[in-house]
Amino acid sequence: MANNELSGPLVSIALAEDLIANKYDLNKSYRFILEPETIGSLYFLSRNLHKLKKHVISVLVLTCIGDNRNWSFLKSRYGDTIAD
């Protein structure tokens, strides 16, 4: 359970704290959203879809990263987005 349910939020929090503490010269803003899996995401999207479509460039999801295996990255459908 810790790998599946807790590792993503903990790494997200550590990343946010690092961005704040080191005051990187960032030309974009970042938003970290912690919510319960599918139902939380669907609710957030239903309430904010119009605004997100206008302002969001990329979204990354951190999950199952709390073990000693190699990490992986799943590209977008066509592999041609800014996150890719």
Side-chain angles (χ1 to χ4, degrees), residues 8-80:
L10 290 176
V11 172
S12 298
I13 291 167
L15 180 58
E17 288 175 342
D18 184 62
L19 288 170
I20 292 167
N22 291 304
K23 296 185 169 97
Y24 295 105
D25 184 22
L26 305 172
N27 61 358
K28 303 287 183 208
S29 63
Y30 293 81
R31 178 175 291 183
F32 290 82
I33 301 169
L34 303 176
E35 59 199 21
E37 291 190 11
T38 306
I39 193 70
S41 301
L42 291 174
Y43 178 77
F44 181 79
L45 288 172
S46 72
R47 303 291 293 196
N48 300 288
L49 188 58
H50 180 69
K51 184 177 176 182
L52 294 170
K53 281 183 172 182
K54 287 173 88 175
H55 300 288
V56 173
I57 296 172
S58 180
V59 174
L60 299 174
V61 176
L62 302 175
T63 186
C64 296
I65 53 177
D67 56 21
N68 61 356
R69 292 182 285 170
N70 290 334
W71 60 273
S72 63
F73 174 75
L74 299 176
K75 290 186 176 185
S76 65
R77 182 176 299 180
Y78 300 109
D80 60 352

